[in-house]
Amino acid sequence: MMTTIETIIPVSLKEALKIKAGKNIVAIAGGTDILVKLHDRGDNLWPRLLVLDQLKSLHKITSGKKDLTIGPLTTFSEIEQSAVLNKYASPLVEAASLAGSVQIRNRATIGGNVANGSPAGDTIAPLYALGATLELTSSKAKRTVAIEDFFKGPGLTILKPTELITAIKIPRSNNRGFFLRLAARKALAISKISVAASLIIKRGVIVDVRIALGAVAPTVIRASKTEKYLLGKKLSPDIIEQAALIARDEARPIDDIRSVAIYRKEMVAVLLKRGLNSIRESQTNG
Amino acid sequence: MADQKPDEKTFNVVGSRVPRVDAVDKVTGRAKYGADHNIPGQLYGAVKYADYPHAKVVSIDTEKAKILIGVRSVLTHEDIPGEKVFGAIHVHQVVLCFDKVRFLGDVVAIVAAETQEIAEQAIGLIKVEYEPLPIVSDPVEALTADSPLVHKDGNLCIHHVVRKGDIEDGFAKSDMVFEKEYSTQRIEHSYLEPEAILAEPGENGGITIIGSVQNLYNIRRVLAKVLNLPLNRVRLIQATLGGSFGGKDESMSSLCCRAALLALATGRPVKIVNSRENSMRESYKRHPYKMKYKVGINKDGILQAMEITVHADAGAYSAMSPFVTWRSVVQATGPYIVPNVKTDVYAAYTNNCYTSAMRGFGSPQICFATESLMDELAIELNLDPLEIRKRNILKDGSITATGQKLEHKVSVGEALQNVTKRIDFKKTWESNREQNSKALTKKGIGLSCSYRGVSLGAEGTDAAGVGISIQTDGSAVVYCGLVDMGQGSATTISIVVAEELGLTVDKIRFLSADTTSIPDSGPTVASRTSFMAGNAARIGAQELLKRIKPVAAEIIGFPESSLMFKDNQIISIVEHADSKKTLSFADLAAACFRKGVSLFAHGWYKSPSTSWDEHTGQGDAYFTFVYAANLAEVEVDMITGQVKVTKFISSHDIGRTLNLNGAKGQVFGGVAMGLGYALLEEYVEEDCYPTLENFDEYLLPTICDVPEMDVAFIENPDSLGPFGAKSLGEPACELAAPAIVNAIANATGMRVRDLPLTLERVLLGKSLSRKEKRGSLKARSRQ
């Protein structure tokens, strides 16, 4: 379907928020989701597009004492290549590097991936694991929400029509983590299932842990029971095995076009086990 | 047949690495594909698809569409001046539906408008009243007495048989009898370029069409009947094709008819370009097969009897199904000697998307079944897969299942040897089977082999023409009745002409096909272009040589027999001659022109006859065969079911390599396509509704999934082929899937008998359900 659509290209955040305060406009960053929806559903979907390209203030990664701030317009490729994120947010870097193709990663942004709200959105599970918060701004107010409070269902979020995601913050910590996923082919594939985790281990003991499961529920979910089980324990083969079984039962997957529920449940256990084992092995070796 | 060169080693360009003649055009954007053609004042066409997979059409209301500003024409079946149905075999496929719709890709009305947007808006204003009918979605159920009828004469599209020996006696004399069932899926050709057509009304009351057409002459016949025009007023020109794989025939016939009807109705050019979604919805697919094999074998591993029953899903229309399934019945036993054979192949109509030609044409399904079966038998008999094949393969002088004696060099054994010579197959295969049961990753190795009839065989008349026009500067233009659709025939036929005339390939300009410039050469199918057009090109070139050689002899002053045409020069090869005289081909061409010698020749080649008794399925089905073997190596993640194909080796007897780069390209592309068939691709329909519409959910392999590949060509020159060449395009593709599937079974110890082998199937034997979608907002376009 050919589409003609009115677009507005603000040059400052203030201007963008002012326009967003009006009605019937949807923000577009890299466009890798929006343009596909427009192609599928035609120009009746949204009357106008707010093109965010020029908002340089939203397009950078800054490193503070307590937090890392990722501008929502940061592309997957930039995440892949960021030294500070490689150091402090390895699950996110891994997820960004596996998504789509080079061309898509050059366009797709982390803010767009979050706002799109797919349970299979590849950067979302790592953001859960890293304890990210989102800064949501309108022309009148600013609020901060935890990433896991942001999603209501597939494609549904709490973002108001007047708001933009203006920052994604990750607490700075000496975490160890991973992102693992399964897909039908190596590149250009949407995850059948993904698992991200971030752990802080002191003297062999897990003092903090967050585990997120992607594509196994209406939104990305935390594996809270598994986290609770792991907290205060040392990673051993038995503990890992048990954690994997708990996580499997926390997943609530369905049969759909990309996989079947029974397979997804099993794979939650498999991926978590593989991820935790790799951490355990690196501890032993390091 | 053209004469062979006396000394095979004297080739100048045949078999060498020649860059594709169309490569620069394609990489620089100079190539004009169907959608790149435009004429000022053109209108844009759009189609109204069926709302149900099976329903009576009660009424079609186009009034609101007609009065939309910018709409120039809205047509239904009532506006067709000639025949309303077409078909090369069963004449029942509709251009625009009249009595009922039979699948969701059927079209009930068409619109031409000033812009694409207006045309599509008008489509939305067309109201069609239906009376929904019960559907049938399974080819076996379709043949039961109480099935809904897709066509009024019944759902049986075709039933082919092969009867050889005495099947009951064969089983009685077998030490063991096994029964296995296999199934394959419906897949899409996935050519990069979706269908595109531009139809222009002609000054003569006729029509000229340029676009993405594979089989111009078939389509022209349909157009002439539907438009009620003589053939000489219907002209089809092939635009540069962005892939076809057998896919741009019947779906292009209906598209061309729709554009032409709109063009004639409005008196203006009409362009229709399919979106990928429309292309997927409307264009035919590869047949899904259900295959039952009952096989009798002796303890020594020698096959005694095969009883084979195949049900092919033809979908809503016949198209090429009778021919596709005929190749299946001929080749159903695989490349093996089987004394007693009883094969029944049925194709049945359903309300699914129709199926027709796709690269392989009834062989990929059969290869998957026979090659899986041979591995299963090997295990039952405690043999290895190579050994059981060696004991049963066709050899020189063998009699095929259809009673044909193979009078040429039969090289399936040589092909098997080529793909296994770098490893100890038996040892590797056995040690893979004994891998630690707890290993996370297991290795597997798999074999497959095939024989394949060259060209059309007993399907029908098999002839083709090539025109060659030498220009006065020594260059040449080649007109060919068979098309280059990406497979590289422009380069291959240029090589053949260059070889014969002693020219370099850059002197040859191969033109896209045009129905007004060259006679009906049949369809570009069945891997027949190198063979048929190659022979025709040789005949044409030799005719030209007969005319220009005397002129050259006269100029140089040596007899014709002493002249050699090479590298755009004519030289005398008389030893001890006082002086070696040379003449450039350009000067010779100019001299011929001045003398009034005709520099245009038309070569026509007709294949030798074949024979077929449809009651017994016995006869010389094809005039010659090609042979091949594939070997795949895989690694399987035993916990997730992920398969990585790590290495792939092919060996093909192609008679003679004409175009080395092209031949390798055919093999590498064919293997990649076979890998998709084995592991990924499936065009899924549930209750006759497709559950996907684009490449986001129809997953093809990407380059990251394609393994390291190698190919060993075997050259047993065929007495009939141009310079001995046979065929390659389809053999390159048909065998890859079973080699990969056998390798996976070798790794996992579990046999999956249904394609494709997704992660879930490898691990759980469970197919993907398509009933629910989560995480995607895509609208289901069922309305």
Side-chain angles (χ1 to χ4, degrees):
Chain A
M1 173 82 74
M2 296 265 285
T3 301
T4 315
I5 190 159
E6 188 189 334
T7 55
I8 301 171
I9 310 175
V11 293
S12 71
L13 178 59
K14 196 176 164 194
E15 186 193 355
L17 292 172
K18 197 173 154 194
I19 298 162
K20 202 79 176 60
K23 275 183 187 162
N24 291 332
I25 192 155
V26 68
I28 177 169
T32 54
D33 284 308
I34 297 262
L35 294 181
V36 175
K37 284 176 191 164
L38 277 174
H39 168 81
D40 286 347
R41 292 162 62 180
D43 45 12
N44 298 328
L45 188 57
W46 300 293
R48 295 186 301 162
L49 293 182
L50 183 69
V51 177
L52 303 179
D53 275 3
Q54 304 299 314
L55 306 184
K56 305 289 180 226
S57 64
L58 302 187
H59 195 159
K60 59 185 174 190
I61 300 165
T62 48
S63 178
K65 272 185 187 165
K66 284 165 110 183
D67 292 326
L68 306 173
T69 305
I70 306 171
L73 296 183
T74 307
T75 66
F76 283 36
S77 296
E78 287 160 350
I79 292 172
E80 243 183 299
Q81 289 151 21
S82 157
V84 64
L85 293 181
N86 270 281
K87 191 169 176 193
Y88 294 106
S90 61
L92 180 64
V93 171
E94 184 65 14
S97 73
L98 287 172
S101 61
V102 173
Q103 293 88 336
I104 290 173
R105 293 196 292 273
N106 283 342
R107 289 293 307 166
T109 65
I110 186 167
N113 198 227
V114 170
N116 190 52
S118 164
D122 275 327
T123 62
I124 299 173
L127 289 175
Y128 272 53
L130 294 164
T133 54
L134 304 177
E135 182 187 270
L136 312 179
T137 312
S138 71
S139 62
K140 293 193 177 125
K142 186 177 278 195
R143 57 178 174 148
T144 299
V145 299
I147 180 105
E148 50 209 86
D149 296 332
F150 184 71
F151 303 100
K152 295 198 292 186
L156 299 173
T157 71
I158 61 162
L159 191 71
K160 291 178 188 160
T162 54
E163 283 177 323
L164 288 173
I165 300 173
T166 46
I168 296 158
K169 292 193 178 191
I170 296 172
R172 206 171 163 147
S173 73
N174 289 320
N175 66 79
R176 323 179 67 144
F178 60 85
F179 172 82
L180 293 169
R181 70 160 199 173
L182 286 170
R185 60 182 175 196
K186 286 187 193 158
L188 266 174
I190 297 171
S191 297
K192 289 171 186 284
I193 177 231
S194 64
V195 175
S198 167
L199 293 81
I200 297 174
I201 299 172
K202 282 187 181 153
R203 285 187 286 278
V205 178
I206 300 167
V207 297
D208 190 25
V209 54
R210 288 164 181 274
I211 297 168
L213 312 177
V216 294
T219 67
V220 172
I221 54 168
R222 287 270 294 275
S224 339
K225 286 179 191 160
T226 315
E227 292 171 2
K228 206 173 158 193
Y229 172 78
L230 284 171
L231 203 61
K233 293 199 173 64
K234 290 186 176 184
L235 284 179
S236 72
D238 286 349
I239 299 287
I240 290 173
E241 189 71 39
Q242 193 56 35
L245 293 179
I246 297 170
R248 183 184 65 186
D249 291 337
E250 289 194 80
R252 294 177 276 126
I254 55 167
D255 289 355
D256 70 5
I257 189 153
R258 277 184 284 279
S259 193
V260 290
I262 176 175
Y263 179 83
R264 283 181 156 134
K265 250 176 147 32
E266 288 304 319
M267 291 308 115
V268 164
V270 169
L271 294 189
L272 183 64
K273 202 154 87 179
R274 285 186 179 180
L276 293 177
N277 270 325
S278 69
I279 290 177
R280 190 179 70 86
E281 280 158 22
S282 69
Q283 277 182 310
T284 323
N285 299 335
Chain B
M1 189 207 68
D3 296 329
Q4 292 299 326
K5 284 225 168 182
D7 179 3
E8 293 169 2
K9 293 210 169 76
T10 61
F11 291 132
N12 297 322
V13 283
V14 160
S16 62
R17 299 176 67 100
V18 175
R20 281 183 79 103
V21 296
D22 50 356
V24 174
D25 276 352
K26 285 181 172 171
V27 300
T28 58
R30 235 169 22 198
K32 284 185 86 172
Y33 294 90
D36 294 329
H37 290 271
N38 292 293
I39 303 173
Q42 72 196 18
L43 300 170
Y44 297 84
V47 304
K48 172 75 174 171
Y49 283 116
D51 292 336
Y52 298 92
H54 198 198
K56 260 188 198 166
V57 178
V58 178
S59 66
I60 309 168
D61 179 359
T62 60
E63 288 313 308
K64 279 188 181 163
K66 279 179 176 162
I67 58 171
L68 186 69
I69 290 168
V71 169
R72 294 289 168 255
S73 180
V74 183
L75 304 177
T76 68
H77 64 92
E78 289 177 350
D79 304 299
I80 297 174
E83 304 279 337
K84 294 185 182 190
V85 288
F86 69 94
I89 307 166
H90 294 303
V91 187
H92 65 195
Q93 190 169 338
V94 293
V95 176
L96 296 170
C97 296
F98 47 94
D99 54 347
K100 61 179 190 173
V101 294
R102 293 178 178 83
F103 85 113
L104 281 172
D106 262 338
V107 168
V108 287
I110 47 178
V111 170
E114 296 290 343
T115 69
Q116 189 70 46
E117 292 75 12
I118 297 171
E120 279 164 18
Q121 201 187 337
I123 288 298
L125 298 173
I126 296 170
K127 291 271 174 294
V128 185
E129 196 187 329
Y130 292 100
E131 203 175 285
L133 296 166
I135 54 159
V136 56
S137 61
D138 179 275
V140 177
E141 281 169 28
L143 296 179
T144 57
D146 53 353
S147 166
L149 289 183
V150 182
H151 293 282
K152 59 180 183 295
D153 302 333
N155 290 338
L156 182 64
C157 170
I158 194 78
H159 174 203
H160 294 295
V161 302
V162 161
R163 302 285 184 262
K164 180 191 179 192
D166 182 332
I167 191 71
E168 292 311 324
D169 189 48
F171 285 128
K173 286 180 179 158
S174 301
D175 292 337
M176 284 166 278
V177 175
F178 298 99
E179 291 186 57
K180 305 285 177 192
E181 293 186 18
Y182 306 93
S183 77
T184 63
Q185 77 281 36
R186 182 182 255 93
I187 68 166
E188 162 68 22
H189 302 78
S190 307
Y191 25 77
L192 269 180
E193 175 206 29
E195 304 81 0
I197 281 298
L198 178 59
E200 186 183 21
E203 290 173 343
N204 53 19
I207 190 99
T208 298
I209 292 181
I210 188 160
S212 56
V213 285
Q214 176 182 344
N215 295 329
L216 287 78
Y217 301 96
N218 294 4
I219 297 168
R220 186 176 61 152
R221 268 190 292 277
V222 172
L223 276 160
K225 287 233 165 119
V226 170
L227 303 174
N228 207 11
L229 286 171
L231 285 168
N232 66 3
R233 293 194 190 179
V234 180
R235 180 181 181 192
L236 259 94
I237 304 166
Q238 173 226 342
T240 297
L241 272 168
S244 187
F245 309 105
K248 287 171 177 167
D249 191 341
E250 287 90 353
S251 19
M252 292 313 300
S253 291
S254 42
L255 199 65
C256 286
C257 285
R258 290 166 194 155
L261 286 166
L262 290 167
L264 291 175
T266 57
R268 288 170 65 178
V270 173
K271 184 171 179 174
I272 302 184
V273 180
N274 267 350
S275 63
R276 180 63 64 185
E277 288 83 355
N278 286 0
S279 174
M280 283 232 181
R281 177 172 185 162
E282 187 184 323
S283 73
Y284 54 86
K285 308 288 184 281
R286 179 184 284 165
H287 297 71
Y289 273 28
K290 292 184 172 184
M291 298 168 279
K292 288 187 183 177
Y293 276 71
K294 182 177 173 187
V295 54
I297 191 164
N298 281 354
K299 280 178 198 155
D300 58 3
I302 305 295
L303 292 165
Q304 297 301 318
M306 270 197 204
E307 184 176 357
I308 304 161
T309 310
V310 174
H311 283 86
D313 182 354
Y317 297 104
S318 156
M320 290 290 161
S321 289
F323 289 166
V324 171
T325 50
W326 180 71
R327 186 175 283 276
S328 307
V329 86
V330 172
Q331 295 174 189
T333 57
Y336 307 106
I337 301 163
V338 190
N340 304 291
V341 180
K342 177 176 183 280
T343 307
D344 292 86
V345 178
Y346 304 86
Y349 300 120
T350 66
N351 297 112
N352 293 322
C353 183
Y354 72 119
T355 47
S356 188
M358 179 174 174
R359 192 179 189 179
F361 206 76
S363 71
Q365 300 93 332
I366 291 297
C367 288
F368 167 61
T370 61
E371 296 312 287
S372 299
L373 176 70
M374 290 308 279
D375 270 38
E376 294 204 68
L377 291 175
I379 291 167
E380 296 282 3
L381 292 164
N382 235 347
L383 293 169
D384 71 88
L386 179 59
E387 183 58 31
I388 195 168
R389 283 177 173 80
K390 278 185 184 166
R391 291 185 191 183
N392 290 286
I393 47 173
L394 296 166
K395 297 170 184 75
D396 291 356
S398 288
I399 310 288
T400 68
T402 75
Q404 181 169 2
K405 188 175 183 197
L406 300 173
E407 308 273 11
H408 49 267
K409 183 79 194 150
V410 176
S411 50
V412 60
E414 196 179 342
L416 280 168
Q417 196 185 339
N418 278 346
V419 299
T420 54
K421 69 182 170 196
R422 267 170 277 184
I423 46 159
D424 183 335
F425 180 84
K426 185 179 182 215
K427 205 174 142 191
T428 311
W429 185 81
E430 282 175 351
S431 72
N432 286 342
R433 279 167 61 79
E434 287 156 11
Q435 288 171 89
N436 180 349
S437 63
K438 285 184 181 154
L440 296 180
T441 303
K442 290 191 184 176
K443 288 188 175 179
I445 188 166
L447 268 183
S448 61
C449 57
S450 71
Y451 81 128
R452 181 184 182 89
V454 170
S455 200
L456 303 175
E459 276 177 29
T461 312
D462 201 355
V466 168
I468 305 169
S469 176
I470 297 174
Q471 310 296 303
T472 52
D473 63 354
S475 64
V477 173
V478 174
Y479 310 82
C480 183
L482 301 179
V483 310
D484 190 319
M485 46 196 166
Q487 87 277 38
S489 58
T491 308
T492 304
I493 302 307
S494 296
I495 287 172
V496 170
V497 173
E499 182 69 42
E500 282 292 346
L501 295 179
L503 295 174
T504 51
V505 176
D506 61 303
K507 294 287 180 191
I508 313 291
R509 167 86 181 110
F510 181 97
L511 296 185
S512 286
D514 179 337
T515 53
T516 57
S517 67
I518 198 84
D520 190 339
S521 297
T524 307
V525 298
S527 307
R528 70 192 277 267
T529 305
S530 295
F531 191 97
M532 299 299 295
N535 272 331
R538 290 196 73 191
I539 291 165
Q542 285 169 6
E543 171 65 30
L544 284 167
L545 284 175
K546 262 187 225 158
R547 297 184 209 147
I548 63 175
K549 258 192 179 173
V551 180
E554 196 187 317
I555 295 171
I556 293 186
F558 285 105
E560 284 178 44
S561 58
S562 73
L563 300 181
M564 189 166 78
F565 284 61
K566 190 181 174 182
D567 295 338
N568 312 321
Q569 300 281 328
I570 297 95
I571 54 173
S572 92
I573 48 169
V574 178
E575 285 180 43
H576 311 300
D578 296 339
S579 60
K580 273 198 176 176
K581 282 195 183 176
T582 66
L583 170 67
S584 77
F585 193 88
D587 288 344
L588 173 60
C592 289
F593 180 73
R594 284 195 301 272
K595 283 173 179 283
V597 174
S598 166
L599 290 172
F600 178 84
H602 175 243
W604 185 257
Y605 177 76
K606 185 191 168 301
S607 73
S609 24
T610 49
S611 64
W612 187 252
D613 179 335
E614 65 183 41
H615 301 293
T616 59
Q618 294 292 294
D620 292 343
Y622 294 96
F623 55 77
T624 192
F625 289 83
V626 289
Y627 304 91
N630 282 181
L631 178 128
E633 293 179 29
V634 301
E635 282 173 18
V636 182
D637 183 324
M638 296 303 293
I639 316 293
T640 65
Q642 255 174 338
V643 173
K644 184 175 166 191
V645 182
T646 50
K647 193 160 169 59
F648 204 97
I649 306 171
S650 308
S651 183
H652 293 272
D653 187 347
I654 56 175
R656 167 84 63 207
T657 311
L658 296 174
N659 170 5
L660 183 58
N661 284 345
K664 286 184 171 176
Q666 280 285 358
V667 173
F668 298 155
V671 170
M673 210 166 185
L675 186 147
Y677 192 43
L679 301 178
L680 286 165
E681 296 176 45
E682 183 167 14
Y683 184 77
V684 184
E685 288 167 294
E686 278 179 0
D687 299 333
C688 306
Y689 285 85
T691 64
L692 45 78
E693 50 189 23
N694 207 326
F695 290 137
D696 56 340
E697 287 170 348
Y698 184 89
L699 297 185
L700 297 161
T702 76
I703 195 67
C704 303
D705 303 295
V706 176
E708 181 192 334
M709 294 187 277
D710 205 355
V711 55
F713 291 118
I714 300 169
E715 295 193 318
N716 288 312
D718 192 273
S719 63
L720 300 169
F723 304 110
K726 297 204 268 191
S727 63
L728 178 61
E730 291 171 283
C733 180
E734 66 191 8
L735 270 177
I740 293 168
V741 171
N742 283 339
I744 293 169
N746 180 224
T748 63
M750 288 182 297
R751 169 70 49 182
V752 181
R753 299 186 183 86
D754 309 293
L755 292 182
L757 272 65
T758 56
L759 282 68
E760 290 81 358
R761 245 187 202 142
V762 170
L763 196 68
L764 309 167
K766 206 170 168 38
S767 67
L768 293 184
S769 156
R770 310 275 166 156
K771 287 203 170 114
E772 279 183 82
K773 288 173 84 170
R774 186 193 270 172
S776 167
L777 288 173
K778 183 177 282 187
R780 299 292 286 273
S781 52
R782 287 194 175 183
Q783 293 303 310

